[in-house]
Amino acid sequence: QVQLVESGGGLVQTGGSLRLSCTVSGLTFSSYVMAWFHQAPGKEREFVAAISKSAGTTYYSDSVQGRFTISRDNAKNTVYLQMNSLKPEDTGAYYCAAKETRIIDTDLTRVQWYEFWGQGTQVTVSS
């Protein structure tokens, strides 16, 4: 049974930082591209960041570039999202996602591209 379990969410003030974690079980973690998505209240789920299987390449949305950092530890089956300089618009649920693939293409920003999802962790940024 595949499980993706996010943690690390919480309440933080504008300009603060949080580090999200997503621990994966039930699959060969190092064979999967991993990503984080954000879903603000009342809005669709949107791409935040992704990381290649070997962690050699990372991808970010324009809205988080320079503020967020995605990383992974294949020995711990865990992907991280370091979030700095948080803004109220970063509020919402954060989901990790996994895709087994040999090729990374522009579809990596699409919800439908991913095979497995976690249940999400809530982040609230107060102004």
Side-chain angles (χ1 to χ4, degrees):
Q1 180 182 3
V2 176
Q3 286 191 312
L4 285 70
V5 180
E6 300 97 335
S7 62
L11 174 64
V12 64
Q13 291 186 333
T14 297
S17 298
L18 283 174
R19 188 194 195 203
L20 306 184
S21 299
C22 172
T23 300
V24 180
S25 60
L27 53 75
T28 304
F29 183 71
S30 60
S31 296
Y32 284 73
V33 171
M34 298 299 299
W36 288 95
F37 282 74
H38 168 231
Q39 187 164 19
K43 296 189 176 181
E44 294 186 350
R45 198 169 296 188
E46 296 183 338
F47 173 78
V48 172
I51 188 166
S52 64
K53 295 179 287 185
S54 64
T57 308
T58 55
Y59 309 82
Y60 296 96
S61 68
D62 290 343
S63 63
V64 307
Q65 180 76 48
R67 299 190 298 125
F68 291 9
T69 302
I70 188 170
S71 61
R72 66 190 293 163
D73 185 337
N74 285 351
K76 296 182 178 179
N77 285 9
T78 301
V79 60
Y80 305 97
L81 185 68
Q82 177 66 44
M83 306 189 298
N84 298 330
S85 303
L86 283 161
K87 304 176 181 180
E89 52 263 43
D90 296 320
T91 292
Y94 283 77
Y95 299 88
C96 68
K99 168 71 173 181
E100 184 177 27
T101 182
R102 294 182 179 179
I103 299 173
I104 298 177
D105 56 33
T106 55
D107 281 345
L108 67 86
T109 64
R110 300 178 64 234
V111 168
Q112 297 85 346
W113 194 67
Y114 293 86
E115 298 172 89
F116 300 106
W117 291 85
Q119 293 299 307
T121 186
Q122 180 67 33
V123 171
T124 303
V125 184
S126 63
S127 57

